[in-house]
Amino acid sequence: MSYKFEEELTQLAKNIESVITNSLESVELNKAKEQVNSAMDHAIDEVRRALDQAGTKLDQSLERNKKKSAGDQKRRGRIGDYAERRLARRIPDISRMTPSQLLRYSKIPVTRNPAGRTSGAVYAVLGISGLVVFGLSLLTGIAAVVATGLSSMAAGALLFLGGLTVGSGLLTSRGFALRNRVKRFYRYLRIINNRTYCDVKEIISSQGEEPKVVMKDLKTMIRLGMFREGHLDESGSTLMLTDATYQEYLEVRKQREQEAQKAREEQEMIEENPQMAALKEAVEEGERYIGMIRQANVEIQSEEMSRKLERLEDITRKIFEHIKKHPQNLGDLRKFMSYYLPTTLKLVHVYCELEKQPVKGDNITNAKADIEKTMDTINVAFENLLDDMFEETAMDVSTDISVLKTMLAQEGLTESELDSLKS
């Protein structure tokens, strides 16, 4: 299109040049002017027409690309939906799966050849065959003995045939027992439904069997590797089907044992030392206060008040951490616990209620401002209380420093003594 357009412009320019030359030669300036204007108008019309055609073709091209993109996306969507439907059709519902499908689509580690599936069939066939052959032979022998009388050789033969018949019966029973266990294994897989753990009570209730029978079943299946990563917890109440799940259980159990051991040790300390009981009660109460302060801070919208509450929470936590390490200072907290902390929390709750009011009158504003100022005073007071708790520590440090300096001086190792030795 562009090549043709350039060709037309070139031809137009030549026409204009020809018109001008002819006009000048004939000295018909007015006619030449009209021809030039006509040629220029024609050129402008051609340019506009070419641009319109180019724009139309561009719009058509964009529209085709847009439709193609939408068609591709729609086609991909249909392909994705088709793949999902095909996959869904490929994997049947677990309640309708055959035994081979249960093993094929199992997401938990299970054996592909359950113990007893093959041997049970072999035992059952051999046992039934033995019962037919040896049983008929035994009956024939008994009939012959009845007719001819019992001899020592006949008695031995009957005993031998009787033993073979009983053995065949036991073999048959064993074969059916193995096959029934495999069937129960498939039923258990349906109940578990690819979960990594399952409540044993759920399996028991669905089977209608005695709990002892199901428990024996599960232990045997784990031992034989039918559940390749199967484990039962200590109480036998939970069946875990993967090693990862069992490791999580062991970690949780270890953590609970540690917590129980810690609780027993704390209880023993409390029983031996009444002061520890008071300390534990004070620390637990302090943690409740800290939790209530934090919750109130979540509800409060004022950033200034929120910063003050964060400071209050930090100071209060440090006070109780110090008390944990120095139980002998518990008496210093009596007034702090019985009055200062409850009153502070009361003021914080009042501030929360005032902030929730839809009306921002003078009384509400002034009360909130008073509480905010009071919080500064409370924080300073609590910081001073924390500082006072370290008074004994500061005295001990000062005493240690004094003793250390005296001993260094006696040994001639102080700075003044060393300077004199250097000189």
Side-chain angles (χ1 to χ4, degrees), residues 125-140:
V125 171
L126 292 177
I128 293 173
S129 300
L131 282 175
V132 172
V133 174
F134 301 127
L136 289 176
S137 298
L138 179 61
L139 292 175
T140 303

Side-chain angles (χ1 to χ4, degrees), residues 7-43:
E7 191 177 27
E8 291 178 355
L9 289 180
T10 302
Q11 184 63 37
L12 181 62
K14 290 180 180 180
N15 294 336
I16 294 172
E17 183 180 2
S18 176
V19 171
I20 293 173
T21 303
N22 294 332
S23 299
L24 289 174
E25 290 177 354
S26 61
V27 199
E28 295 179 356
L29 296 179
N30 291 332
K31 187 177 181 180
K33 182 177 179 181
E34 291 177 358
Q35 291 178 348
V36 168
N37 290 335
S38 176
M40 292 298 295
D41 292 339
H42 177 70

